[in-house]
Amino acid sequence: MRRSGHAGSSRNNRWFCQRPYLYGGYGRCAEVIGRVLNEQEVTELEMMIDEIRTRQKFDIAILIVSEEDIPSVEEYADDIYDRADMGYGQTRDGVLLVVDLKSSECYMSTKGYGITVFTDAGIQYVGQQMRPELADGDYAGAFRTFATLCDDFI
């Protein structure tokens, strides 16, 4: 069982090279992440997410995609969560935020305890809180907001 939902839209650009908790596109991780975050922001976000993940025993990840023909952000998010074997512990507790720079959509996919933590209303709330920063192109700020709200919700 999974709960997932649209977290909102951003305005502005492929996948799967892994930084510990930040993902970008098809062997071009640095290029994709580098479009929206500088190295210091990446390091700060990774440290922040790692601290929350360790303390809360709950997986938090962000996936940035662009220029990709994906069936839908929803299907893509859910598929990636499963294929990448994300989640903490046996029930794979966690949340994955997918930001599609091409369509300006954001989507949260949850599993395990994440389904309980993030109700549909909660997902909408997180999206509303991130929306102004995403619209301004402040991806680091939006991702910090996401991580902080995840910590609060858990």
Side-chain angles (χ1 to χ4, degrees):
M1 181 148 207
R2 174 189 312 283
R3 172 180 274 117
S4 49
H6 285 277
S9 296
S10 63
R11 294 187 82 127
N12 261 352
N13 268 326
R14 227 149 189 31
W15 170 159
F16 202 87
C17 156
Q18 180 181 357
R19 303 267 321 207
Y21 308 104
L22 299 170
Y23 302 84
Y26 283 126
R28 300 179 349 192
C29 185
E31 177 186 331
V32 174
I33 291 174
R35 289 183 197 172
V36 297
L37 300 172
N38 64 42
E39 193 59 37
Q40 180 179 347
E41 291 167 332
V42 168
T43 300
E44 289 171 2
L45 281 165
E46 288 175 343
M47 289 173 50
M48 179 182 193
I49 291 170
D50 185 51
E51 188 278 326
I52 295 167
R53 182 184 191 279
T54 302
R55 179 173 34 84
Q56 297 280 20
K57 297 184 180 1
F58 187 92
D59 205 4
I60 300 169
I62 300 166
L63 171 62
I64 305 163
V65 296
S66 71
E67 303 169 18
E68 191 163 336
D69 295 324
I70 56 177
S72 75
V73 177
E74 176 181 358
E75 289 176 33
Y76 191 70
D78 292 343
D79 185 47
I80 293 304
Y81 197 110
D82 292 332
R83 281 195 342 211
D85 198 30
M86 293 178 172
Y88 196 96
Q90 197 169 28
T91 56
R92 298 180 57 212
D93 304 329
V95 60
L96 168 65
L97 172 67
V98 176
V99 178
D100 182 354
L101 300 176
K102 185 176 178 184
S103 70
S104 299
E105 286 186 77
C106 296
Y107 197 83
M108 290 172 58
S109 180
T110 61
K111 198 158 188 176
Y113 183 59
I115 295 168
T116 303
V117 170
F118 293 100
T119 63
D120 292 340
I123 289 170
Q124 289 299 319
Y125 178 79
V126 171
Q128 290 168 352
Q129 298 307 302
M130 292 187 319
R131 189 169 295 126
E133 293 162 319
L134 290 171
D136 289 343
D138 181 9
Y139 290 91
F143 298 156
R144 278 191 298 274
T145 296
F146 171 70
T148 299
L149 288 172
C150 286
D151 194 18
D152 292 346
F153 274 60
I154 302 163

